[in-house]
Amino acid sequence: MNSSKKVVLVGHFGVGKSSLMRRFVQNTFSDNYIVTIGVHILKKEIKIEELNLTLVIWDIEGKDDIQKVRSSYLLGTSGFIYVIDPTRSQTYERFNEEIDFLKTTYPTSKIVSVANKSDLIDIEEFKKLLEQKNISIDYFASAKEGIEVENLFQTIGLKMVKNV
Amino acid sequence: MFEQIRNKYLYNKTQIVVLDKQGIVLHSDDLLYKIQKQTSISDFHPFFETIISLIDLEYNEFTFSCIHIDYEGIKKTIDVIFNSGSNNENPFLIFIDFTEHYNNFQSIAQEKNESVLSFHLAEIKNQQLQSEKNFKNKFLANVSHDLKTPLSASLWFLGMLEKSEITSSQKEMIALMKETTNHIKELVDDILDLSKIEMGQIKLQTAPFDFIEMLYHIEKIIAPKARTKKLDFQIVKDKNLPKLVVGDKTRIVQIIINLLDNAIKFTKKGSVVLSVVVKEIESNNATILIKVADTGTGIKANEKGEVFQSFKKLHDSKKIDGSGLGLSIVSNLLELMGGKIDYQTELNVGTTFEIEIPLEIKESEVGTKPFEFIEIINKLNVLIVEDDEINQLLLMKLLLNHGGFNINIANNGLQAIEMVEQNPYDLIFMDKEMPQMDGYQTTAVLRKNLKKEINSIPIIGVSGHPVANQKEIFDAMGFNGYITKPYKKEEIYELVYEVLKLKKS
């Protein structure tokens, strides 16, 4: 069986949304930062049990406020991946508000959160900091090192298919 | 005309694609991309998968801006208008090519975001450097602090050993050990000071003080050092120098002595001149310009930028001692004071350091508390421990003039220890330099005496040749106060009142 779902990567600029997508789809990484304007779209098929699921991944330009994202980009989204940069507190200061906005505005969509660039931090220390701020992050990934990237997309796929 | 212009400039910037209700491409003018007919539009690019899901929403129109479509080597950034059609009309798409516009916009965004990110990176780097620097300073401060006490003790014991009955070759060895230990202690003091400055732990202690007297004090410390190296040492003072000023005297002395020590260190022959003038006065604020000029080795052109860096030893010569911290401390202290430092130098001719220190002038009538005589009805027993007869007489005379003291004299430390066992004393004046047992040693013995009435007698140190940090040394050795020769009777009386906590009733 085949199916296709739209997944949108959201978060501030420079958190590594494009890098996560490229690592996942093309298994490449570049240290050169290239600003995304508008949207780049790539797709990749994954397997969820017996299902061949095509993830159509929208890598949209970074915004410090999810409400500033062009609404047309988010039409028909089944899953969101919210990306933060643990080395820049500005990228997760309003994390809970942003997640609440997505849950309220797109109630049927699934959300997975990820701290990219985790190769640059002490993850345990960062988890403590997040706990103090009452922030819950699902994955501590690194597009550069290829850590947890597959799992991240696999999880959003599973959540969308199983509706969990 | 319009049609011509439109065809020339707009025609090849757009593309129209007509779909059926399942999203199959029926028609395309292929002006931007060559799209396969009778295939799903989603085969052309995954972006259009979203479009297919919108076909059912009749009579709707959606605009998607800035979509990057890379198809068969053609890379464009387009806006897409999608009309979902109706019962009678097929859905259609319009592509508008804005590649150039979006490319320009991309460059601007790139520049803006990069500057934000590099600022952030610089901030992180700064924080890391600061935290590494703090760690280093804390470590150095702790180690230096722990080293200070045993070093002071070593120096004290070496001093005692030096005065015991030993052979001349042993004396020479001890003198060498003292010199080496002193050098280590100076280094440790410098490290401690610099670490504290860099950690922001040094707070200036501003208070009124006699600026002219401070210069005499400096002269007493520096002149013997210059004599040892057979250098001519002079202090040139502006006659307009204010007498009473407000500032951190200890630190100002430290700055000037550091510069003078440095000048003496790098001068083999010739002179070292300290000149002090008033650069400007505005109401009660003066800028004092202090120059230290030497006829020493000078600073090489390639080392000029490094003069005030920590641990930077100019002159590689191993014959010249130094940690390379002195000028860094001077520059940091001056920065704390709002002052500045500069220098001129010529290789093998000499160097002149110029510093400016802003100081508040204290009007003498406002600044100095007039001396208040306190009458002592029950006379206090005072022991003067002093080996020099003239100094004995001088101090005795001053104290007897007061009328509140009974005076006894001990010619040396050993005699003083015997006398305090036999008579009760309220106060002791202890000369620092005496043969057999000096003032430090005698005080140490008295402080270790088991009898409280003896070990707690207030002791005032008397110094003829004050050294740098003299107050700290006296404090560390258990003295209650100190005075340097020559002294005035009011200074002596005020010190006695302070040490004995006497107040006018």
Side-chain angles (χ1 to χ4, degrees), chain B residues 358-372:
Chain B
L359 290 169
E360 185 192 330
I361 303 172
K362 197 89 181 164
E363 297 298 334
S364 50
E365 58 269 28
V366 183
T368 42
K369 240 174 33 192
F371 171 69
E372 264 191 285

Side-chain angles (χ1 to χ4, degrees), chain B residues 280-295:
Chain B
E280 58 187 27
I281 291 188
E282 207 179 299
S283 67
N284 277 346
N285 296 310
T287 303
I288 310 290
L289 174 66
I290 299 170
K291 290 187 187 179
V292 173
D294 64 48
T295 53

Side-chain angles (χ1 to χ4, degrees), chain A residues 12-30:
Chain A
H12 285 225
F13 73 82
V15 293
K17 298 183 290 296
S18 306
S19 296
L20 283 168
M21 179 173 79
R22 289 209 183 89
R23 171 61 76 192
F24 176 63
V25 179
Q26 300 164 335
N27 197 21
T28 57
F29 177 83
S30 166

Side-chain angles (χ1 to χ4, degrees), chain B residues 330-341 355-357:
Chain B
V330 166
S331 139
N332 278 294
L333 284 176
L334 277 166
E335 199 182 319
L336 270 179
M337 289 177 187
K340 53 185 181 184
I341 184 161
I355 59 169
E356 286 181 26
I357 306 179

Side-chain angles (χ1 to χ4, degrees), chain B residues 439-461:
Chain B
Y440 295 146
Q441 293 166 308
T442 313
T443 302
V445 173
L446 292 176
R447 290 290 180 240
K448 280 182 190 155
N449 193 298
L450 294 175
K451 294 177 197 160
K452 191 169 185 307
E453 60 274 24
I454 291 178
N455 67 32
S456 63
I457 302 172
I459 301 176
I460 292 175

Side-chain angles (χ1 to χ4, degrees), chain B residues 480-493:
Chain B
N480 302 80
Y482 91 102
I483 194 155
T484 52
K485 300 171 193 171
Y487 35 72
K488 295 180 196 149
K489 69 175 179 191
E490 289 85 359
E491 287 173 326
I492 289 277
Y493 296 164

